[in-house]
Amino acid sequence: MLVHPARVTPLAAAAPRQSGPVVYWMHRDQRAADNWALLAAADLARESGAPLCVAFALAPTFPGATLRHYDFMLRGLAETEAGLRAAHIPLVLLPGDPAVVVPVFLRERKAGACVTDFDPMPVKGDWLAAVTASGVCALTEVDAHNVVPCRRASGKREYAAATLRPKIHRLLPEFLTPFPELPVFPATNLAGFAPVDWTAAAATVTADPAVRPVPDIVPGAAAARERLRAFLRDTLPEYAARRNDPNAGATSGLSPYFHFGQLAPQRAALDARDARPGAPEGADAFLEELVVRRELAENFQFYAPRGDLYEALPDWARKTLAAHAGDARPASYAPREFEEARTHSALWNAAQRQLTRTGRLHGYMRMYWAKKILEWSPTPRQALATALALNDRYALDGRDPSGVTGVLWSVGGLHDRPWAKRPVFGQVRYMNERGCRRKFDVDAYIDRYSEEKCA
Ligand SMILES: Cc1cc2nc3c(=O)[nH]c(=O)nc-3n(C[C@H](O)[C@H](O)[C@H](O)COP(=O)(O)OP(=O)(O)OC[C@H]3O[C@@H](n4cnc5c(N)ncnc54)[C@H](O)[C@@H]3O)c2cc1C
């Protein structure tokens, strides 16, 4: 058995077993190496003597996603296909609504079993529900995205990092283990499967082309591994002290690769652990973000009730924001003014330009950026909607549990505690430009993302 059983959750029991292949329906963890879901499918295929194929359903649109995201994903997938074919595993691309095209594919191929990725985002829940309901074959979900599988880390919604951290740390020795190699299948496993035509695939996408791809973040597993190597070699010793300085280049820049599953967080965690003797503080701080904070976000997304995110904020935060709903705002902007970086603040506008032009926004600036959207929006609900929409539309790593919790933390005190009262914020933690000036060279940041330099 290649995969820890706690990663594996049966979603639909086997109907009478069909004669066809084991299908790994890949949607979140889009990589050939270091992928527990693919390894589980490979195990199942070898055990039953069935062929193995990977299916990827390409939805023509996805909530919040634009050409920027599809371009990054499709170029990464082309590389993944090459990695799979090297192990004689075909990748089949199914253009269309995954809730429809996956059951059709499983039925046509008489699939013996289907293995798929764990993903707590609601849209994926809808896809999984449809494939489960189709009842074509046994369906199994594998958590290939978390170091400690989300269900195993905790059986309930955690209050804060402080409550999840000890659970994660206790389980790390059991789950932070090396990945086995992907087994190579006989060459006959590829028979009848032509390589994907990626140009034709891209033509089926109808996502908004107005948000252009970002040329300086190279997609794919190889680029991700190179970024990880460079970060651990050159930057890890600086990470603990300088990660909150947006001018320092001290963070990993790995989040788009994690989001699209081009790099396993577990690979980054294993390699950071290996690098720890040379940079113990940096490694510990990085592992805290990568494992505890990221997996806290997964915990929230998995256990929070579906629907109105505002209602998922802590009671104290909703009460304090309601008590300050009538406070005069120092400024008030419509979503479009935020989007076009037309506020009175040169710092905020620079952050917005970093986001729209480069597809990323430094983690510290993300907090400031979202908190000012709260301060300058007519209501906290509108602030939440604006911050989520802008984050998802422009950030390459958007539409992710870490984005949802990051915005809810900033705007609504999720996973935080009450602070001293302030206008508009109530007891939600406040941030301002003066605080930024104490931490980093604000003028250098503004200059770097000035209108002229970002034109
Ligand atoms: C308003 C707001 C919006 C955010 N939106 C997103 C988003 O859309 N997608 C996203 O992946 N993260 C988001 N975050 C969390 C965090 O800011 C990013 O993960 C981080 O900036 C990514 O850059 P990096 O890979 O260089 O991070 P590093 O500092 O190098 O951290 C390594 C990894 O740890 C994880 N991580 C770091 N900080 C956090 C955090 N606070 N919460 C959860 N995981 C964390 C990420 O996976 C990250 O790649 C958001 C935070 C805020 C406050």
Side-chain angles (χ1 to χ4, degrees), residues 118-136:
F118 167 83
D119 190 335
M121 293 301 279
V123 61
K124 297 295 189 73
D126 294 343
W127 295 357
L128 280 170
V131 177
T132 306
S134 74
V136 182

Side-chain angles (χ1 to χ4, degrees), residues 239 251-255 286 289-290 294 363 366 391 397-398 402-403 406:
Y239 184 80
T251 64
S252 70
L254 289 170
S255 55
F286 180 66
E289 301 297 340
L290 174 70
R294 200 185 48 73
R366 275 182 143 154
N391 189 71
D397 64 8
S402 295

Side-chain angles (χ1 to χ4, degrees), residues 186-441:
T188 50
N189 199 59
L190 282 175
F193 291 99
V196 173
D197 177 343
W198 292 102
T199 309
T204 67
V205 171
T206 56
D208 187 351
V211 183
R212 308 298 304 162
V214 280
D216 57 346
I217 308 179
V218 180
R225 289 293 279 266
E226 185 43 45
R227 178 94 279 281
L228 173 64
R229 258 192 299 276
F231 167 71
L232 295 177
R233 185 189 60 220
D234 305 332
T235 321
L236 192 64
E238 306 258 295
Y239 184 80
R242 303 196 68 201
R243 69 180 184 281
N244 283 335
D245 178 348
N247 298 320
T251 64
S252 70
L254 289 170
S255 55
Y257 300 111
F258 296 141
H259 173 75
F260 286 100
Q262 296 171 0
L263 179 68
Q266 180 152 349
R267 165 58 55 200
L270 287 165
D271 291 3
R273 191 179 63 179
D274 289 349
R276 192 177 180 281
E281 283 178 16
D284 289 348
F286 180 66
L287 288 166
E288 164 72 12
E289 301 297 340
L290 174 70
V291 185
V292 176
R293 297 280 164 176
R294 200 185 48 73
E295 297 190 4
L296 179 64
E298 301 271 317
N299 169 276
F300 170 79
Q301 194 67 63
F302 186 65
Y303 288 112
R306 298 264 306 252
D308 187 352
L309 277 174
Y310 194 81
E311 295 301 321
L313 293 177
D315 283 350
W316 67 262
R318 273 181 297 128
K319 278 190 193 132
T320 195
L321 288 170
H324 289 265
D327 291 358
R329 269 68 183 151
S332 184
Y333 298 107
R336 179 51 66 103
E337 292 172 293
F338 283 118
E339 183 165 18
E340 292 172 355
R342 286 192 283 120
T343 77
H344 62 281
S345 160
L347 177 58
W348 194 92
N349 295 345
Q352 175 65 10
R353 280 192 292 268
Q354 181 183 15
L355 177 63
T356 54
R357 308 298 151 81
T358 72
R360 55 166 97 241
L361 178 55
H362 185 275
Y364 187 81
M365 289 310 298
R366 275 182 143 154
M367 299 189 258
Y368 171 81
W369 171 88
K371 282 185 179 290
K372 292 297 142 184
I373 295 179
L374 170 64
E375 193 172 6
W376 303 333
S377 292
T379 66
R381 268 185 191 278
Q382 184 168 324
L384 181 60
T386 302
L388 281 172
L390 293 179
N391 189 71
D392 287 357
R393 180 170 169 78
Y394 291 105
L396 255 186
D397 64 8
R399 305 152 322 285
D400 190 278
S402 295
V404 174
T405 47
V407 170
L408 292 179
W409 179 90
S410 308
V411 171
L414 179 71
H415 299 149
D416 204 358
R417 64 174 172 82
W419 292 73
K421 277 194 191 139
R422 294 272 188 165
V424 184
F425 287 76
Q427 289 180 280
V428 171
R429 189 195 298 243
Y430 178 71
M431 280 174 80
N432 66 4
E433 185 170 327
R434 236 189 353 259
C436 294
R437 285 191 181 275
R438 278 197 299 272
K439 284 214 182 292
F440 65 94
D441 184 345

